[in-house]
Amino acid sequence: MAAIILEARCVAPFVVRVRFSDGMEGEASLEPCLFDWDLARIPDLTPELREWLRSPEHFATVRLDADAGTLAWGDARPFPPSIVYWRVERYRVPVTVRLKDGTVLAELLLGGRREVWTPGLTVGSAPGNTVVVDRPGVAPHHVRVRVGGGHHPCYFVEVLEGTTTAGDTTSSTPGETWRVPMREGLRLELADCAAEIG
């Protein structure tokens, strides 16, 4: 029997985080299905439904139809589980928080690329951050990181409240943003520790 979807939630425009019955999980981008594919490839996706789903607000109303084991929007179930399965990207974002002497405080494996980078990754001592670092000198909302840059991908590091070092730049000015090339992982230094991303 083919794998069915057990969990699903929208994490970015046209991207759903899913978990299948065989253990496969990750982010499935359905954007190509809605904008690039010929309708004949997905018989249950009507022209009207495809046009409706091209709105990020409408797409975000996705839910799991547990009886059918697939994604649903209202009464519509346009994507067979096999197509969603084929679109899954299993990439995750690893983060290690360590003291400057090398002692590891935490190792995290965050969600996929779009789930993490669409809203931006935040680091701070407050519970609502993507990465919580409860250390003296770490501000409640210390720093935010986004990715972008097109053909020259980079991290955009934005100071929120605390002093942060990333790449060759150190700043404590709220709102100051700078680029760090994404050739390798990002190291954010804050207070007596560092968060290593990627």
Side-chain angles (χ1 to χ4, degrees), residues 2-198:
I4 59 170
I5 301 172
L6 299 179
E7 293 177 15
R9 62 187 169 86
C10 186
V11 295
F14 314 115
V15 179
V16 182
R17 180 156 189 79
V18 290
R19 182 173 65 85
F20 283 85
S21 57
D22 67 353
M24 169 78 99
E25 65 177 298
E27 293 178 348
S29 172
L30 299 176
E31 187 170 6
C33 309
L34 296 171
F35 291 90
D36 303 328
W37 289 13
D38 186 285
L39 277 173
R41 293 180 71 178
I42 313 171
D44 293 331
L45 183 62
T46 65
E48 297 79 17
L49 180 57
R50 179 169 70 173
E51 192 59 37
W52 187 82
L53 286 174
R54 285 177 171 175
S55 159
E57 294 79 21
H58 293 160
F59 185 91
T61 64
V62 65
R63 66 179 178 81
L64 171 68
D65 183 326
D67 293 333
T70 195
L71 307 176
W73 289 265
D75 292 332
R77 294 164 198 80
F79 301 103
S82 59
I83 285 181
V84 179
Y85 193 96
W86 180 69
R87 299 290 311 159
V88 168
E89 178 186 75
R90 294 193 290 173
Y91 176 87
R92 304 287 293 273
V93 177
V95 178
T96 302
V97 179
R98 63 179 85 228
L99 294 175
K100 295 208 173 154
D101 68 6
T103 304
V104 174
L105 298 175
E107 292 183 306
L108 310 167
L109 193 58
L110 304 178
R113 260 184 259 266
R114 295 171 189 90
E115 182 177 4
V116 170
W117 298 121
T118 298
L121 181 147
T122 58
V123 182
S125 59
N129 288 288
T130 316
V131 179
V132 177
V133 181
D134 190 11
R135 297 287 301 167
V138 176
H141 304 284
H142 204 102
V143 64
R144 176 185 295 116
V145 183
R146 292 190 169 92
V147 297
H151 294 297
H152 303 285
C154 59
Y155 297 102
F156 291 92
V157 179
E158 177 190 0
V159 174
L160 299 177
E161 297 179 64
T163 301
T164 304
T165 299
D168 297 326
T169 304
T170 299
S171 177
S172 59
T173 305
E176 184 170 348
T177 303
W178 65 95
R179 294 172 171 230
V180 177
M182 199 189 269
R183 290 187 289 269
E184 51 194 53
L186 176 67
R187 180 181 170 89
L188 297 171
E189 296 180 19
L190 38 154
D192 66 347
C193 59
E196 298 165 354
I197 302 165

